[in-house]
Amino acid sequence: MILPKSIQEVNDAAKIEEVVGDFVNLKRRGANYSGLCPFHNEKSPSFNVNPARNIFKCFGCGKAGDPITFVMEHEQLSYPEAVKYLARKYRIELEETESSDQQRQEQQAIDSLYLVNQFAQEFFQTQLFDTDKGRSIGLSYFKQRGFREETLKKFGLGFAQNDMDALLRAGKLRGYNAELLKKLGLVTQYERDFFRDRVMFSIHNLTGKVIAFAGRIMAKDPKQPKYINSPETEIYYKSKVLYGIFFAKKAIRQFDECLLVEGYTDVISLHQAGIENVVASSGTALTPDQIRLIKRFTNNIKIIYDGDAAGIKAALRGLDLALAEDMNVRLVLLPDGEDPDSYIQKVGSEAFLLYLKEKGKDIVQFETELLLKEAGDDPTRRAGVLGQIANTISKIKNPLRRDEYVKVTRQVLGVDEGRMIFEINKLLRRDLEKHQALEGISPPETDGSFPNEEPRYQTNPVMPETELSVGDEFQEKDIARILISAGGEWFDQKHNTTVAHYVWINIEDVIDYFDSALYKKVVIDILQRVNQGQDISVQYFINHADPEVRQLAATVLTSPYEFSENWEIKHEVFLNQRKPEDNYNLDAEQAVKRLKLRKLGRIIADNHAKMKTLNPQDMDQILPLLKLDQKLKAMRNQLAGELGTVVVK
């Protein structure tokens, strides 16, 4: 177990904008930062990073927390794993106590997969540089491709000799179990090396750990596949990985654009030439997870593929997915016979970038021109183009973008705008009905016609964060907000009274009437700290042991709105006329009064209900309740007057 003081050291060192910035393209907005939420699909930024509080908050899906929470959620790590991740990032040496056998086994099971892959990567690289066959075959091949040695080492390239069990023997000497090597696909079930006589490409995850390998065959054998890959494991899911993303993520954020190529060598060649914002789909069709991975860093993607027919088809396979994710997609086809690797080595990086800029076409525009060229003068085939383009445009979720594409493409196709809208609406209706069928929703009855206005819907939408208040939860949350944000501040320094003291003294008699268990938990927690003379700080709640409390703290400490820096000048409104301590006082006083007003209403109602159960002739029992009713109403009216609230009788 990691000692609390080490966790605190990590909390103190980790800066939320730096931690989130490793994964999300952040832009400054006033004192805070904003970006697209990495936890759900969205078109406009609702993800807020607050450096002053050292927390993040998404106002779309509700995710919130501190740097440790972000790493846990984003990388799917346990709490200790997230702390260790940040400790490595900030070079902090952690102090730990002994873990239980079960905890050690679970952690070792995951760590061992990374360790064995790291061993294999080092083994393959040693074979490349330090053996005769590796240098004569593997290193010779890479140098013919124009790769420098520092590039080979950076990307973890290597060589697997044509030896039945060289890796297995080396692994056993290092103490690695053969079953673990089999699990990772490095060794077959017959205890033979899976990769033999191939140059090796290491595949890294977003944090730089080796998670899999790809091997390219050296011998000319038509019966053998050119490339073979590691199988999927607990740490490697091919559909969620892009080759080179670890090395590209900073450059993608910097240039606000991701270049997507097809192969491993394309990525390495461009990176070596100084074009680092490049990743590869590794010869497979783009998947939704890969598109979303790119979207964490940018909304702009430029697909670069070979100019032959196969390259064109490969480029178009990911078209609908990218458009559905509201990406800005452009396509560049290289000259015939060229791929990114060969072309950049032929013309150099400056000419290559200029070519991308001049030849890049909007993906819908490109598809329209391509299909029309294929259709020629055949009227039947040209009519079919309309359906194909309408299908592409229907994938775009943003209605405004759809409208723009309709205006552009209908001119190219030479068709009426109304007809295009009609075709797109048919497809939108079809997709909507499919979605409703999956959700078990009956489609509305229609006369079979389709309106000109397209259906406004989103498949599997993530709704903006909303909270349904039950009873007096709104007022209870306000009390929790006050205590979390200012509980340790002075309410009356002369009498040694903090905001927490004041709030507790004034709501102690109504705490049992709280509707929310969470808000009640926060208040009682603070009471205990007040009684024990412990400090009450914002960081205490942000780093609270209870994840519910941590989430609440991040929620109440952030806002989707902030004042413009020029607010005072433009509107002659001075935001700092009150001193901070006066604001705490006023905020606490108002929150307490609002809560007590609501609770008094509940107590009065309970008192009335009790009186109704009594015999009207039993004045001995009714009279005390009537007096209590008068007293409670007087208190309620007084509070209402102080708050300027009208009491409805």
Side-chain angles (χ1 to χ4, degrees):
M1 182 181 293
I2 304 172
L3 294 180
K5 67 175 184 178
S6 288
I7 295 175
Q8 187 59 50
E9 190 176 354
V10 169
N11 277 321
D12 292 341
K15 296 182 179 180
I16 190 66
E17 67 272 24
E18 295 176 352
V19 175
V20 174
D22 286 341
F23 305 96
V24 178
N25 184 27
L26 295 175
K27 295 182 179 179
R28 182 174 285 279
R29 191 178 70 181
N32 299 330
Y33 295 86
S34 66
L36 293 173
C37 179
F39 302 116
H40 78 280
N41 300 324
E42 62 178 6
K43 301 168 186 173
S44 56
S46 61
F47 188 80
N48 181 275
V49 171
N50 186 322
R53 299 288 194 184
N54 210 37
I55 56 178
F56 72 91
K57 167 73 177 179
C58 176
F59 296 98
C61 68
K63 294 278 188 183
D66 61 358
I68 296 175
T69 305
F70 179 85
V71 173
M72 288 174 63
E73 293 282 351
H74 192 278
E75 296 298 287
Q76 295 297 297
L77 301 178
S78 66
Y79 188 86
E81 289 170 339
V83 173
K84 291 176 182 178
Y85 170 93
L86 291 173
R88 288 192 297 271
K89 176 179 175 64
Y90 289 96
R91 299 181 182 180
I92 295 171
E93 186 174 346
L94 297 175
E95 294 184 39
E96 300 182 60
T97 58
E98 285 294 323
S99 303
S100 68
D101 290 339
Q102 182 179 356
Q103 289 173 324
R104 282 198 300 271
Q105 289 172 4
E106 291 174 353
Q107 186 60 46
Q108 288 171 358
I110 296 296
D111 289 344
S112 60
L113 298 178
Y114 291 116
L115 288 172
V116 172
N117 271 342
Q118 184 60 37
F119 151 74
Q121 187 268 319
E122 293 169 357
F123 173 82
F124 292 137
Q125 196 156 86
T126 299
Q127 294 290 304
L128 178 68
F129 288 106
D130 299 339
T131 67
D132 292 337
K133 287 186 177 179
R135 287 192 296 269
S136 62
I137 301 174
L139 193 57
S140 175
Y141 166 79
F142 284 131
K143 287 190 174 180
Q144 286 176 0
R145 303 297 300 252
F147 298 154
R148 299 188 294 269
E149 286 195 10
E150 63 266 26
T151 303
L152 302 180
K153 292 177 180 178
K154 180 175 184 177
F155 279 85
L157 305 185
F159 179 70
Q161 295 197 37
N162 194 12
D163 191 316
M164 296 298 288
D165 59 355
L167 177 64
L168 176 62
R169 295 196 311 271
K172 286 182 175 180
L173 285 175
R174 290 280 296 271
Y176 295 116
N177 189 292
E179 293 303 314
L180 198 56
L181 292 165
K182 292 177 184 178
K183 187 174 185 179
L184 287 164
L186 294 166
V187 172
T188 70
Q189 59 178 326
Y190 304 108
E191 297 201 349
R192 295 289 184 264
D193 288 359
F194 179 67
F195 297 101
R196 300 196 301 273
D197 194 25
R198 292 176 181 269
V199 288
M200 300 299 297
F201 297 84
S202 300
I203 300 171
H204 301 80
N205 65 8
L206 204 56
T207 60
K209 292 182 179 180
V210 179
I211 55 175
F213 297 93
R216 186 191 189 280
I217 196 167
M218 291 286 94
K220 293 183 178 180
D221 186 350
K223 296 181 180 179
Q224 293 288 332
K226 186 176 180 180
Y227 281 94
I228 57 175
N229 293 79
S230 299
E232 292 198 341
T233 64
E234 289 92 334
I235 60 174
Y236 174 57
Y237 298 94
K238 189 173 184 179
S239 65
K240 297 183 177 182
V241 174
L242 286 165
Y243 181 73
I245 188 66
F246 171 68
F247 303 102
K249 59 186 181 182
K250 289 185 179 179
I252 293 172
R253 286 196 304 269
Q254 179 184 351
F255 295 103
D256 196 21
E257 182 180 63
C258 178
L259 305 181
L260 180 67
V261 296
E262 193 170 6
Y264 306 112
T265 55
D266 296 328
V267 170
I268 298 169
S269 282
L270 266 62
H271 196 282
Q272 183 174 263
I275 303 172
E276 299 184 358
N277 57 324
V278 56
V279 298
S281 58
S282 305
T284 62
L286 279 174
T287 68
D289 286 322
Q290 289 172 333
I291 293 291
R292 290 165 191 155
L293 182 58
I294 294 173
K295 192 172 182 178
R296 293 181 186 178
F297 305 100
T298 182
N299 266 350
N300 303 305
I301 181 171
K302 188 172 285 180
I303 304 174
I304 310 168
Y305 279 121
D306 307 352
D308 57 14
I312 293 172
K313 290 179 180 179
L316 294 178
R317 279 200 293 268
L319 169 66
D320 290 352
L321 292 173
L323 292 176
E325 291 295 328
D326 204 34
M327 300 286 281
N328 300 316
V329 186
R330 298 186 72 79
L331 176 69
V332 179
L333 290 182
L334 298 175
D336 287 343
E338 300 286 359
D339 57 32
D341 176 19
S342 65
Y343 194 59
I344 196 167
Q345 294 199 42
K346 178 183 291 186
V347 303
S349 57
E350 288 187 14
F352 186 87
L353 289 172
L354 182 61
Y355 183 89
L356 298 187
K357 184 178 180 180
E358 292 179 345
K359 300 297 184 180
K361 291 185 177 181
D362 177 270
I363 200 76
V364 178
Q365 174 193 0
F366 171 83
E367 185 182 21
T368 304
E369 294 175 357
L370 175 67
L371 292 174
L372 285 175
K373 183 179 180 181
E374 290 181 347
D377 296 328
D378 187 331
T380 303
R381 295 186 66 183
R382 289 183 71 88
V385 172
L386 172 60
Q388 290 176 270
I389 297 303
N391 183 65
T392 296
I393 296 175
S394 72
K395 303 301 180 185
I396 301 170
K397 295 295 188 292
N398 188 322
L400 295 178
R401 288 190 67 197
R402 284 205 303 268
D403 292 343
E404 289 301 315
Y405 278 120
V406 166
K407 292 175 183 177
V408 173
T409 55
R410 65 105 176 168
Q411 293 176 349
V412 177
L413 294 173
V415 298
D416 180 70
E417 185 172 338
R419 185 182 172 193
M420 279 211 71
I421 293 174
F422 178 80
E423 293 294 332
I424 293 170
N425 281 339
K426 284 199 300 185
L427 294 163
L428 287 169
R429 178 61 61 86
R430 181 199 63 189
D431 291 344
L432 177 58
E433 289 175 352
K434 284 182 180 179
H435 172 64
Q436 289 175 332
L438 290 173
E439 297 293 325
I441 303 171
S442 299
E445 295 184 3
T446 68
D447 59 2
S449 63
F450 296 94
N452 285 333
E453 179 64 23
E454 65 270 19
R456 306 288 182 175
Y457 79 98
Q458 180 180 353
T459 303
N460 297 327
V462 176
M463 300 304 294
E465 183 192 17
T466 57
E467 295 181 7
L468 298 177
S469 296
V470 178
D472 302 332
E473 285 191 11
F474 183 85
Q475 286 75 22
E476 294 167 11
K477 182 179 180 180
D478 206 32
I479 291 293
R481 175 187 64 81
I482 293 294
L483 293 173
I484 290 171
S485 61
E489 303 293 339
W490 288 115
F491 183 87
D492 184 349
Q493 192 167 3
K494 288 183 179 180
H495 296 89
N496 202 32
T497 303
T498 64
V499 169
H501 280 94
Y502 169 80
V503 171
W504 176 253
I505 291 169
N506 283 277
I507 69 167
E508 185 176 7
D509 55 339
V510 297
I511 188 65
D512 290 336
Y513 287 87
F514 267 49
D515 291 313
S516 168
L518 174 60
Y519 305 144
K520 185 175 181 179
K521 182 196 302 181
V522 169
V523 174
I524 293 176
D525 185 5
I526 289 172
L527 167 65
Q528 293 172 347
R529 293 185 69 82
V530 168
N531 290 338
Q532 294 168 7
Q534 296 176 310
D535 290 336
I536 301 167
S537 66
V538 168
Q539 289 304 314
Y540 167 74
F541 292 104
I542 291 175
N543 302 319
H544 201 279
D546 189 328
E548 270 195 310
V549 177
R550 290 201 302 270
Q551 173 82 9
L552 175 64
T555 297
V556 301
L557 290 169
T558 52
S559 169
Y561 312 108
E562 38 181 274
F563 290 106
S564 164
E565 294 177 357
N566 295 321
W567 184 268
E568 294 182 2
I569 298 173
K570 289 184 177 181
H571 301 284
E572 298 183 358
V573 173
F574 298 93
L575 305 176
N576 297 317
Q577 288 177 338
R578 287 184 177 274
K579 295 179 181 178
E581 56 268 26
D582 292 335
N583 286 328
Y584 297 140
N585 292 353
L586 180 63
D587 212 3
E589 287 175 357
Q590 296 292 311
V592 166
K593 288 175 181 178
R594 285 191 294 266
L595 176 72
K596 294 198 73 170
L597 183 61
R598 292 281 296 189
K599 296 306 179 187
L600 279 170
R602 294 274 293 279
I603 296 170
I604 290 170
D606 290 346
N607 192 44
H608 286 176
K610 189 174 181 180
M611 283 192 286
K612 289 180 180 180
T613 64
L614 298 176
N615 187 331
Q617 306 301 322
D618 192 352
M619 296 303 296
D620 289 341
Q621 292 189 26
I622 292 178
L623 191 58
L625 295 179
L626 287 171
K627 290 181 178 179
L628 176 61
D629 182 59
Q630 290 178 346
K631 184 178 179 181
L632 291 172
K633 286 180 177 178
M635 294 170 61
R636 181 193 64 184
N637 293 339
Q638 181 181 349
L639 278 174
E642 292 173 1
L643 288 168
T645 302
V646 176
V647 177
V648 180
K649 298 183 180 179

